[in-house]
């Protein structure tokens, strides 16, 4: 086998002599990994779908043709580059093990993106019971692609797997619906499930922090939607390094329209008032509620008939700021409606997609979880899954558990036959007076705080402008606990370990002087004063008394009874607001404290609520934004799922 590395820059020593002196200049040695080019052939084809549209597909096949291989594919809106049969990726497949042991690896640009023909639809709606070849969706495109691959790619063994992270994870889930018989294994990872609850929305609140990602999904391709091999979209550039101040100064969301008015040769400059050239921004603006458009794009509700011939392994990160709802709900819905299927889940101490990286020290933001956690997953879980169903027996005895989950408090892997584990119970704790979190309800009273629209609570103490935020998921919450508009409730020091293993339900009793409000609940692990600081910690912080955010969630109050039919609050009237927080697996260890924070702004992670009811916050005026006083009553409680 040829060396997998080729020296592309040699060390050069230039000896210069002047007036009896010698000077040595050394250039840096750089290498390019050529393993893929040395061991794989690459072919690019345009595969015709049932409606005549051709999708650009790249096939990497092992040069060793003495045996047959499975096909492992990824469908992506983010490009299958590099284009050109002489240009190779340096890494292919889900991980290095699956690359080096030999598999046929396939990448495809989805319909309407990059070099594929057709028109792109963001979260294309599934069409059940198709009646003609003109009715196409991502399921039919995947089916037609697999049909072509198994019949035209040499040396394939007839078994196909699919994987993807984030949006490609959504396409991996989609492949399991009306699946091709050759599809044997699917691993949706950080998979989008519904854009009203993933990425751009959380429980109806718009995630302003994802503003810069909008054009990535909503910019029309130029030249009549023709295939293109270079990026045609431009990400909005904020003229600042302080996103908090920028969005605060910008005011109402409608003042941001100008970022999405693209002046190109084939884009008319005359457009209706309030309509931009970015179709995704227009969708966000015109559909503030969970209406038929958003519901049609959701994939979760179509997982009732996942083919039993497809084994699924859902992968996610406990600290994934982008897609936590999606993988959890994907696993739970496949499990609920397809009882005979092989369906498992793997959740580790990761942010978005970190399980696919090769860093030895595994951290999320400031917080260190251990060494080689991602490497362990790739070698002992992911590779084992695909090999069993694509090269091995393919039965349910894969050697992997139902749930491979990482306890982010104890910092160790656990395995269970079910998720949540069978031996869990509900435990209720109350938001009591004097900042106490108690196991019993005490006197019922109201705790007031002023929510000032000119001084919203920041989601991070960092001064920064980011593409999409990640590190805040484990950020130290002391900066928030010290604000008067953040209510804090805390237990005494734990005398024994308390393991949270499942979902969390916050049952708030609230009131407001206004007619609209957001409600944010955070679950926090307060560390002891003698906790040692790890090397990744920001210089101004210490692990001593670190307030680790374990889970957090927002509910836009207008959606407290229905995401489709919003309603205002009645001023000063006590009202129930229930907030479902996503699952956790975290032990509050002996010597730590469990803390709950409640607040009403979280800026600019989410957009600013006017705190006076308007039909559409995307079209709110400056005059709609009012400072209000909110009240949280002490019969509010948090229902935890606790491991016995």
């Amino acid at each position: 086998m040829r060396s997998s590395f080729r020296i592309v820059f040699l060390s050069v020593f230039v000896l210069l002599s002047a007036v009896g002196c010698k000077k040595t200049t050394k250039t840096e040695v750089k290498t390019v990994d050529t393993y893929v080019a040395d061991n794989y052939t690459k072919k690019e084809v345009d595969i015709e779908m049932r409606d005549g549209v051709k999708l650009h597909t790249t096939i990497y096949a092992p040069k060793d043709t003495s045996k047959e291989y499975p096909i492992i594919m990824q469908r992506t809106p983010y490009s299958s580059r590099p284009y050109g049969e002489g240009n190779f990726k340096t890494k292919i497949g889900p991980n290095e093990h699956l690359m080096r042991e030999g598999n046929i690896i396939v990448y495809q640009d989805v319909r309407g993106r990059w070099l594929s023909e057709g028109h792109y639809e963001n979260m294309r709606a599934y069409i059940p019971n198709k009646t003609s070849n003109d009715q196409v969706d991502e399921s039919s495109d995947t089916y037609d692609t697999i049909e072509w691959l198994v019949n035209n790619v040499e040396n394939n063994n007839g078994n196909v797997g699919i994987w993807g992270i984030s949006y490609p994870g959504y396409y991996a889930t989609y492949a399991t619906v009306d699946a091709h018989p050759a599809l044997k294994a699917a691993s949706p990872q950080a998979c989008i499930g519904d854009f009203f609850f993933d990425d751009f929305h959380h429980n109806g609140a718009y995630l302003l922090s994802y503003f810069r990602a909008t054009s990535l999904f909503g910019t029309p391709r130029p030249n009549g939607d023709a295939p293109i091999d270079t990026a045609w979209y431009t990400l909005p550039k904020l003229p600042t390094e302080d996103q908090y101040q920028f969005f605060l100064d910008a005011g109402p969301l409608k003042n941001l329209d100008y970022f999405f008015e693209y002046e190109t040769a084939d884009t008319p400059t005359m457009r209706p008032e309030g309509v931009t050239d970015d179709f995704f921004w227009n969708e966000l603006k015109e559909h503030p509620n969970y209406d038929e458009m958003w519901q049609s794009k959701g994939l979760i509700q179509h997982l009732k008939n996942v083919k039993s011939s497809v084994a699924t392994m859902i992968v996610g990160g406990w600290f994934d700021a982008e897609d936590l709802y999606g993988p959890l709900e994907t696993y739970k819905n496949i499990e609920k409606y397809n009882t005979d299927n092989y369906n498992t889940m793997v959740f580790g101490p990761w942010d978005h997609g970190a399980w696919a990286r090769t860093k030895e020290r595994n951290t999320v933001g400031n917080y260190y979880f251990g060494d080689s956690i991602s490497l362990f997953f790739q070698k002992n879980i992911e590779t084992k899954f695909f090999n069993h169903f694509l090269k091995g027996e393919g039965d349910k005895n894969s050697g992997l558990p139902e749930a491979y989950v990482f306890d982010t408090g104890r910092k160790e892997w656990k395995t269970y036959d079910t998720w949540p584990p069978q031996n869990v119970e509900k435990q209720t704790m109350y938001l009591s007076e004097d900042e106490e979190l108690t196991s019993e309800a005490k006197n019922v009273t109201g705790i007031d705080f002023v929510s000032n629209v000119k001084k919203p609570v920041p989601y991070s103490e960092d001064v920064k402008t980011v593409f999409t935020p990640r590190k805040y998921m484990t950020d130290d919450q002391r900066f928030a606990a010290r604000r008067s508009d953040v209510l804090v409730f805390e237990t005494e020091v734990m005398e024994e370990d308390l393991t949270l293993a499942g979902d969390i339900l916050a049952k708030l009793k609230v009131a407001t002087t206004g007619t609209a409000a957001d409600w944010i609940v955070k679950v926090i692990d307060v560390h002891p004063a003698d906790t040692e600081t790890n090397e990744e910690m920001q210089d101004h912080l210490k692990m001593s008394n670190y307030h680790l955010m374990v889970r957090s969630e927002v509910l836009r109050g207008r959606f407290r009874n229905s995401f489709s039919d919003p309603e205002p609050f009645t001023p000063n009237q006590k009202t129930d607001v229930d907030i479902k927080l996503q699952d956790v697996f975290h032990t509050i260890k002996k010597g730590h404290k469990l803390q709950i924070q409640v607040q009403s702004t979280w800026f600019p992670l989410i957009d600013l609520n006017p705190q006076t009811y308007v039909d559409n916050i995307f079209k709110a005026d400056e005059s709609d934004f009012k400072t209000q006083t909110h009240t949280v009553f002490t019969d509010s409680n948090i229902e935890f799922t606790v491991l016995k």
Side-chain angles (χ1 to χ4, degrees), residues 244 248 449-460 477 479-480 483-487 516-522 553-556 597-611 625-628 630:
Y244 180 99
L248 194 62
F449 66 95
V450 176
S451 181
N452 188 341
V453 292
K454 297 295 185 183
K455 294 182 179 180
V457 180
Y459 77 94
S460 170
Q477 297 301 305
F479 77 94
R483 287 182 57 117
S484 61
D485 51 359
V486 177
L487 303 185
D518 294 333
W519 301 95
I520 294 104
V521 173
K522 298 185 288 192
E553 194 55 275
V554 57
L555 177 71
R556 181 137 285 172
Q597 291 184 7
V598 179
Q599 60 200 61
S600 193
T601 51
W602 211 14
F603 194 77
L605 182 69
I606 61 171
D607 65 314
L608 198 58
N609 193 316
Q611 302 191 140
F625 290 78
K626 303 289 186 184
T627 292
Q628 305 289 357
H630 301 325

Side-chain angles (χ1 to χ4, degrees), residues 104-119:
I104 298 167
I105 307 296
V106 174
Y107 295 89
Q108 184 179 74
D109 295 337
V110 298
R111 180 180 292 255
R113 299 290 284 189
W114 298 87
L115 284 182
S116 285
E117 297 177 349
H119 178 69

Side-chain angles (χ1 to χ4, degrees), residues 128-164:
N129 305 314
K130 300 173 183 67
T131 58
S132 75
N133 287 340
D134 292 330
Q135 292 185 316
V136 294
D137 54 22
E138 305 303 340
S139 175
S140 65
D141 281 354
T142 309
Y143 189 104
D144 294 350
T145 299
I146 293 175
E147 178 71 12
W148 190 93
L149 291 171
V150 296
N151 286 295
N152 291 277
V153 176
E154 295 181 354
N155 300 108
N156 83 83
N157 70 357
N159 293 334
V160 178
I162 190 168
W163 97 103

